[in-house]
Amino acid sequence: MTKLSVNINKIATLRNSRGGDVPNVVQFAKDVQRFGAEGVTIHPRPDERHIRYQDAYDLKPEVYTEYNIEGNPIPKFIDMVLKIKPTQVTLVPDSVDAITSNAGWDTIKHKDFLIEVIKEFKSNGIRTSIFVDPDLHQIEGAKATGTDRIELYTEAFAHQYSLGNKDAINPYMECAGLANTMQLGINAGHDLSLDNIKFFKENITGLLEVSIGHALIAESLYLGIENVIGMYLEKLK
């Protein structure tokens, strides 16, 4: 069964819009775990427009499943991750002004940098993952960095699937096949939803984990968070 990690950034966005502490992100993380989520994901950005760096520290004692921290490995981010020691760190090449993640790493161009960062995290007992586009050369490049896993960037699949193009899964299947032969763990995320997650999971051999935030929170407005988590878990069996 593929694990479901719930990205709670949108809960922090809602909280920050009023300046108080409602909804409380720590309580929400505790609740999604109680409802069956097998991990909690956060993605703090330098401007702290949703998840704040303090949230990352506050969540540490409350996440008893898997704690996944995503982000661009700038010095402040690296220092925070090394202090918290989450289950997993997912490296994402966000620009400072990115609204959301919009590209995977060029694992060939940034090979030396990624090797250095990954070595530091792994020496501290933190599992590493690299956010990558569904490109075979980038998968090969990821393997050369020493990372434990890759996270397939699934926006292109999700968009094409919504238009009825199921062939959009093909490059992801090819990349998953290559990753499996190289013993790279496979995660996936971005625009996965109740509409497309079952098809994606059924076609990606060795899919270990999906990180879902925006769609899951939006679906929960209509269906309720406990119900939605249950629906995802059923589709991921």
Side-chain angles (χ1 to χ4, degrees):
M1 181 174 170
T2 303
K3 289 186 176 181
L4 171 66
S5 186
V6 176
N7 185 316
I8 62 172
N9 276 23
K10 283 295 184 291
I11 301 305
T13 300
L14 183 59
R15 174 199 63 188
N16 296 351
S17 70
R18 288 296 293 266
D21 196 31
V22 178
N24 182 280
V25 296
V26 173
Q27 184 60 51
F28 193 83
K30 292 164 68 175
D31 289 339
V32 297
Q33 292 173 101
R34 181 164 55 87
F35 298 150
E38 294 135 321
V40 173
T41 292
I42 60 170
H43 188 148
R45 288 184 165 87
D47 62 5
E48 299 186 280
R49 63 180 180 270
H50 33 65
I51 285 290
R52 300 167 182 151
Y53 275 67
Q54 185 58 48
D55 293 327
Y57 291 98
D58 293 343
L59 285 161
K60 170 63 177 177
E62 305 299 340
V63 179
Y64 55 83
T65 54
E66 291 202 349
Y67 192 12
N68 175 43
I69 301 182
E70 302 179 339
N72 194 325
I74 60 175
K76 182 180 179 181
F77 179 87
I78 292 173
D79 182 61
M80 176 194 67
V81 171
L82 291 175
K83 288 177 180 176
I84 294 173
K85 291 185 171 59
T87 316
Q88 175 176 269
V89 58
T90 301
L91 308 182
V92 183
D94 285 336
S95 59
V96 174
D97 59 349
I99 295 176
T100 186
S101 304
N102 55 20
W105 283 96
D106 184 332
T107 58
I108 299 167
K109 179 179 179 180
H110 299 288
K111 175 183 174 181
D112 291 342
F113 172 70
L114 290 169
I115 286 174
E116 181 181 351
V117 173
I118 288 167
K119 183 179 180 181
E120 180 72 11
F121 287 142
K122 290 180 69 172
S123 69
N124 280 270
I126 305 166
R127 188 174 73 224
T128 58
S129 180
I130 300 178
F131 196 60
V132 292
D133 296 319
D135 179 285
L136 295 175
H137 294 298
Q138 297 304 327
I139 307 303
E140 291 171 346
K143 177 63 177 178
T145 68
T147 190
D148 298 300
R149 297 187 183 185
I150 54 169
E151 178 174 332
L152 292 171
Y153 173 36
T154 51
E155 180 181 17
F157 158 74
H159 176 67
Q160 288 299 315
Y161 185 86
S162 71
L163 300 176
N165 179 17
K166 293 186 177 181
D167 288 341
I169 195 68
N170 291 342
Y172 294 88
M173 292 173 63
E174 293 173 359
C175 287
L178 178 59
N180 284 322
T181 64
M182 295 189 297
Q183 297 184 312
L184 273 177
I186 303 169
N187 298 339
H190 205 95
D191 288 350
L192 294 174
S193 69
L194 285 174
D195 290 334
N196 60 38
I197 189 64
K198 184 175 177 63
F199 180 81
F200 186 84
K201 197 272 183 188
E202 289 176 342
N203 285 279
I204 302 300
T205 302
L207 183 62
L208 298 174
E209 174 187 297
V210 291
S211 175
I212 305 178
H214 182 83
L216 188 151
I217 300 304
E219 291 155 348
S220 297
L221 293 175
Y222 290 92
L223 302 172
I225 185 65
E226 183 174 5
N227 187 37
V228 165
I229 288 176
M231 293 168 74
Y232 273 102
L233 294 175
E234 183 66 27
K235 291 175 183 289
L236 288 168
K237 285 183 178 178

